[in-house]
């Protein structure tokens, strides 16, 4: 006869049952036993021990991880000094009451604040304090052997038994070979075979925690030594990787200028094509920059193409293509017809159709019609595809199908000599006077390539040349801990998957001679938690072993016996083992 039962695992049983299972019912993991903590003993040592146990507990680690996530929210919603000083200044100006409070709380520099660093360090210590003892305990388990079978296998959550005419030694040898073939760690322990499997669950658990530590270290390392700069380059212009060459630059607190990788490059050509029809009209199809670069002071020139999400890697630096726009070439002449300004003027896009705006500033060399020194300023709007008269001053398509340059002309003091910083893309009109047209209104004209706008009273002119250059925005980033962070993330995912989907379980096979001289085979399984996998696996093993030690024919005494008197038939549900004789 064969009986398999399923019920509550012994790790949820009462103290009497745990004592009966002995070592077989010990924990199937390295997690520390949760105990009802009383008040710590008086004294510094007692309080220190209590605090350390709380800090290294799983609940505190999860709480610290939650606090770290919540603490990062202000860093995403409030402008940060390390990211954009201009936005921080604008926020201070717009919120005069909140700004001092945010300063005291460190919300303008969340990731370097005292409170965020404290949470970060406590989480790091908590993980270390949790991993070290569990790792040591797990190593001890690997060096040991699965515990012997408990005295009463019927108390285990999965159990089956049958009688066979095979000798007990033959059954134990067959069971030992079967369990080892199924990759169990198995050995003979008295009259039973003890086996255990699923150690990768704990390996995955430890790997997950170690991966979290690696990610924390990589994140901190990257924040301390990172650097990130942006540069707008017009076709034909170049860039050298020095601080003075960047339009804006930010770095970690431990970054040194000497860590910049020595290289330079020149933007030869930018290519951008767009969808012309359909719902995705205007969406970029190709978006790439052809550059020539060299590494070091005497490096040879090399050609390459930088695309979106396909950066150029030089040393520890990556050069990303992040933006694009147009730089119309303009020529400004004074009243005598002399050229005082001629250059490509990069303009910043305002929308997806590259409607662009910017400023043209003539600071030196200009004289008005009377020969007096003056400065010129032009507010510029560029439309790659102008819709024609009567349409809004916005581009209809991002490509150069019908380019138009809209200009407003001013003269006076540009404010560049005041000592105050100002954007090259914005025109400060505070001390400027607008040129007037014949009707007395602000002088403003739409120019097509090759056309010229005359300034009134012989003050000069500005010409929109036929050549229209393009510019590309590059970001040079150096993130030293990104590789370790990626490795930690991948390891954390695999470790978590292993800890969730692999079950650590134990199996015992006992073969003894019964009172009637017939061998009694008992098989039982125990998992860390109640799961259908343990009974199913035990049934499969029992079916294979049953073929090697088939059941003995029932005797009259067995047939007349009351099943209620059998120790193998308690109150929990009893079902036949898979593959065994019913």
């Amino acid at each position: 006869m064969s009986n398999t039962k399923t019920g509550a695992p012994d790790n949820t049983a009462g103290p009497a049952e745990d004592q009966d299972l002995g070592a077989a019912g010990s924990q199937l993991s390295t997690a520390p036993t949760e105990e009802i903590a009383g008040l710590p003993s008086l004294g510094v040592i007692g309080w220190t021990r209590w605090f350390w146990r709380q800090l290294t507990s799983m609940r505190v680690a999860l709480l610290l991880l939650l606090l770290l996530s919540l603490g990062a929210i202000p860093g995403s919603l409030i402008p940060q000094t390390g990211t954009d000083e201009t936005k921080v200044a604008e926020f201070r100006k717009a919120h005069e009451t909140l700004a001092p409070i945010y300063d005291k709380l460190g919300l303008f520099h969340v990731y370097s604040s005292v409170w965020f660093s404290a949470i970060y360090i406590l989480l790091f210590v908590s993980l270390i304090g949790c991993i070290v003892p569990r790792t040591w305990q797990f190593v001890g388990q690997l060096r040991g052997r699965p515990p012997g079978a408990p005295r009463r296998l019927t108390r285990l959550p999965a159990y089956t038994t049958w009688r066979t005419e095979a000798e007990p030694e033959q059954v134990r040898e067959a069971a030992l070979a079967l369990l080892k073939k199924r990759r169990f760690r198995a050995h003979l322990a008295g009259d039973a075979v003890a086996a255990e499997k699923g150690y990768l669950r704990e390996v995955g658990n430890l790997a997950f925690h170690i991966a979290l530590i690696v990610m924390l270290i990589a994140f901190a390392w990257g924040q301390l030594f990172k650097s990130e700069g942006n540069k707008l380059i017009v076709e034909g212009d170049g860039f050298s990787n020095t601080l003075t060459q960047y339009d804006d630059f930010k770095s970690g607190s431990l970054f040194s200028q000497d860590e910049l990788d020595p290289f330079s490059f020149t933007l030869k050509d930018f290519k951008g094509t767009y969808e012309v029809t359909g719902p995705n009209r205007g969406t970029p199809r190709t978006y790439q920059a052809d550059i020539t670069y060299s590494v070091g002071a005497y490096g040879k020139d090399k050609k390459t193409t930088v695309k979106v999400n396909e950066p150029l890697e030089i040393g520890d630096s990556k050069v990303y293509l992040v933006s694009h726009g147009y730089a119309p070439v303009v020529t400004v002449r004074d009243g005598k017809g002399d050229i005082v300004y001629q250059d490509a003027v990069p303009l910043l896009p305002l929308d997806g159709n590259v409607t662009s705006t910017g400023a043209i500033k003539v600071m030196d060399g200009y004289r008005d019609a009377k020969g007096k020194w003056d400065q010129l300023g032009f507010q510029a709007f560029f439309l790659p595809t102008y819709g024609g008269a009567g349409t809004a001053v916005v581009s209809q398509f991002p490509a150069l199908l019908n380019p138009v340059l809209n200009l407003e002309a001013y003269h006076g003091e540009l404010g560049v000599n005041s000592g105050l910083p100002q954007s090259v893309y914005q025109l400060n009109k505070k001390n400027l006077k607008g040129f007037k047209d014949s009707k007395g209104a602000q002088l403003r004209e739409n120019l097509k390539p090759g056309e010229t706008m005359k300034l009134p009273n012989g003050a000069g002119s500005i010409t929109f040349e036929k050549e229209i250059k393009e510019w590309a925005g590059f970001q040079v980033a150096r993130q030293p801990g990104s590789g370790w962070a990626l490795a930690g993330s991948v390891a954390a995912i695999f470790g978590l998957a292993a800890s969730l989907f692999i079950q650590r379980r134990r199996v015992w096979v006992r073969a003894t001679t019964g009172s009637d001289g017939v061998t009694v085979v008992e098989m039982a399984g125990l998992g860390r938690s109640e799961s259908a996998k343990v009974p199913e696996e035990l049934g499969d093993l029992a079916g294979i072993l049953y073929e090697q030690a088939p059941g003995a024919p029932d005797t009259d005494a067995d047939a007349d016996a009351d099943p209620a008197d059998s120790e193998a038939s308690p109150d929990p549900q009893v079902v036949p083992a898979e593959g065994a004789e019913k």
Side-chain angles (χ1 to χ4, degrees):
M1 297 291 290
S2 168
N3 297 307
T4 299
K5 78 177 183 70
T6 60
D10 274 336
N11 52 2
T12 60
E17 294 181 1
D18 286 340
Q19 184 176 4
D20 181 69
L21 292 179
S26 61
Q27 282 188 297
L28 288 170
S29 74
T30 59
T33 305
E34 295 288 342
E35 298 177 355
I36 301 177
L39 292 175
S41 59
L42 297 178
V44 177
I45 297 178
W47 281 105
T48 302
R49 184 183 297 111
W50 177 84
F51 176 79
W52 177 254
R53 287 178 178 175
Q54 298 303 313
L55 180 61
T56 56
S57 65
M58 183 58 65
R59 66 172 66 92
V60 172
L62 293 175
L63 177 61
L64 290 172
L65 191 60
L66 176 62
L67 290 176
L68 194 69
S69 302
L70 294 176
I73 294 177
S76 302
L77 301 178
I78 300 173
Q80 302 292 293
T81 54
T83 303
D84 197 330
E85 292 278 2
T86 303
K87 288 186 178 180
V88 174
E90 293 176 354
F91 187 93
R92 292 180 190 274
K93 186 177 180 180
H95 304 83
E96 296 180 355
T97 304
L98 282 178
I101 300 176
Y102 284 5
D103 275 325
K104 292 181 180 180
L105 296 177
L107 297 182
F108 289 124
H109 50 91
V110 169
Y111 304 112
S112 60
S113 62
V114 175
W115 57 269
F116 190 85
S117 301
I119 298 174
Y120 197 88
I121 294 173
L122 285 175
L123 177 59
F124 187 82
V125 174
S126 177
L127 290 173
I128 291 291
C130 179
I131 289 174
V132 171
R134 292 185 66 164
T135 303
W136 183 254
Q137 183 181 353
F138 183 61
V139 171
Q141 292 179 0
L142 291 178
R143 296 177 62 183
R145 286 185 168 189
R151 184 173 61 87
R152 302 176 67 183
L153 292 178
T154 56
R155 293 189 177 275
L156 296 180
Y159 173 81
T160 185
T161 182
W162 71 90
R163 302 167 69 250
T164 180
E165 295 180 348
E167 295 296 326
E169 292 79 6
Q170 297 177 351
V171 175
R172 289 193 288 266
E173 291 177 1
L176 181 63
L178 172 62
L179 291 171
K180 287 185 176 181
K181 184 178 181 181
R182 291 296 184 93
R183 297 189 299 277
F184 279 83
R185 294 181 62 203
H187 70 104
L188 289 173
D191 59 356
V193 176
E196 190 167 357
K197 189 178 183 180
Y199 288 89
L200 284 179
R201 177 189 181 95
E202 193 62 27
V203 173
N205 194 9
L206 294 174
F208 173 74
H209 288 80
I210 294 174
L212 287 181
I213 295 179
V214 172
M215 291 170 62
L216 289 175
I217 295 176
F219 176 76
W221 186 269
Q223 290 297 313
L224 292 174
F225 293 94
K226 73 173 183 178
S227 65
E228 184 179 293
N230 295 284
K231 179 63 177 179
L232 185 152
I233 304 175
V234 180
E235 288 176 331
D237 293 345
F239 166 78
S240 180
N241 192 27
T242 60
L243 289 182
T244 56
Q245 290 278 300
Y246 285 101
D247 295 331
D248 61 83
F249 186 86
K250 55 181 179 287
S251 62
S253 56
L254 298 183
F255 173 79
S256 173
Q257 182 177 349
D258 297 335
E259 296 176 6
L260 289 174
D261 294 304
F263 66 88
S264 60
F265 65 87
T266 301
L267 175 61
K268 294 298 183 180
D269 184 37
F270 181 89
K271 297 177 182 178
T273 60
Y274 309 89
E275 295 287 348
V276 295
T277 59
N280 295 324
R281 184 176 185 272
T283 303
R285 297 178 61 184
T286 59
Y287 207 66
Q288 61 188 42
D290 297 329
I291 66 173
T292 300
Y293 73 97
S294 62
V295 181
Y298 305 101
K300 294 182 179 180
D301 289 343
K302 301 178 182 179
K303 294 182 180 180
T304 189
T305 299
V306 181
K307 301 179 181 179
V308 177
N309 297 326
E310 295 182 17
L312 168 64
E313 297 187 26
I314 303 176
D316 294 330
S317 300
K318 293 184 178 180
V319 182
Y320 294 91
L321 175 63
V322 295
S323 57
H324 157 257
Y326 294 100
V329 179
V330 298
T331 301
V332 180
R333 292 179 171 85
D334 61 12
K336 295 182 179 181
D338 297 331
I339 296 177
V340 294
Y341 181 91
Q342 187 176 43
D343 202 357
V345 182
L347 304 178
L348 301 181
L350 298 175
D351 55 31
N353 287 326
V354 202
T355 302
S356 306
T357 184
I360 303 171
K361 301 179 182 181
V362 182
M363 297 174 287
D364 301 312
Y366 171 75
R367 291 177 183 267
D368 59 17
K370 299 179 180 180
K372 184 180 178 180
W373 292 102
D374 201 358
Q375 293 180 336
L376 295 178
F378 299 89
Q379 184 69 52
F381 288 90
F382 181 72
L383 290 72
T385 302
Y386 180 48
T391 61
V393 187
V394 292
S395 177
Q396 307 297 315
F397 194 74
L400 294 172
L401 301 182
N402 184 26
V404 166
L405 181 63
N406 180 277
L407 295 174
E408 290 182 3
Y410 299 86
H411 69 97
E413 179 60 45
L414 293 173
V416 294
N417 299 322
S418 63
L420 299 176
Q422 61 176 249
S423 173
V424 297
Y425 305 105
Q426 296 178 348
L427 192 63
N428 186 356
K429 303 176 184 178
K430 181 179 181 181
N431 299 317
L432 295 177
K433 295 181 180 180
F435 284 102
K436 306 298 181 181
D437 59 15
S438 58
K439 297 181 180 180
Q442 169 64 48
L443 179 62
R444 180 174 181 175
E445 291 186 15
N446 288 338
L447 302 180
K448 292 187 176 181
E451 294 183 347
T452 300
M453 180 174 74
K454 296 288 185 179
L455 300 179
N457 302 321
S461 65
I462 179 170
T463 301
F464 177 22
E465 303 292 346
K466 293 184 178 181
E467 181 183 11
I468 301 175
K469 294 186 177 182
E470 300 185 57
W471 60 261
F474 294 92
Q475 183 182 84
V476 182
R478 186 176 182 275
Q479 195 76 24
S482 58
W484 285 100
L486 177 61
S489 302
V490 174
I493 293 174
F494 281 102
L496 183 62
S499 64
L500 291 176
F501 298 109
I502 297 177
Q503 185 180 13
R504 189 170 169 187
R505 60 269 191 201
R506 292 169 182 162
V507 172
W508 293 275
V509 181
R510 174 175 287 154
T512 56
T513 303
S515 58
D516 56 355
V518 179
T519 301
V520 178
V521 181
E522 293 181 288
M523 294 185 67
L526 176 66
R528 180 182 177 186
S529 59
E530 186 174 0
S531 171
K533 184 175 182 179
V534 175
E536 290 176 1
E537 186 175 37
L538 185 70
D540 181 52
L541 293 171
I544 298 176
L545 187 60
Y546 187 84
E547 294 178 356
Q548 302 180 37
D554 293 337
T555 62
D556 294 339
D558 292 332
D560 297 336
D562 187 356
D565 297 334
S566 174
E567 187 182 27
S569 301
D571 291 337
Q573 180 182 3
V574 178
V575 296
E578 181 179 349
E581 181 185 54
K582 296 182 181 180

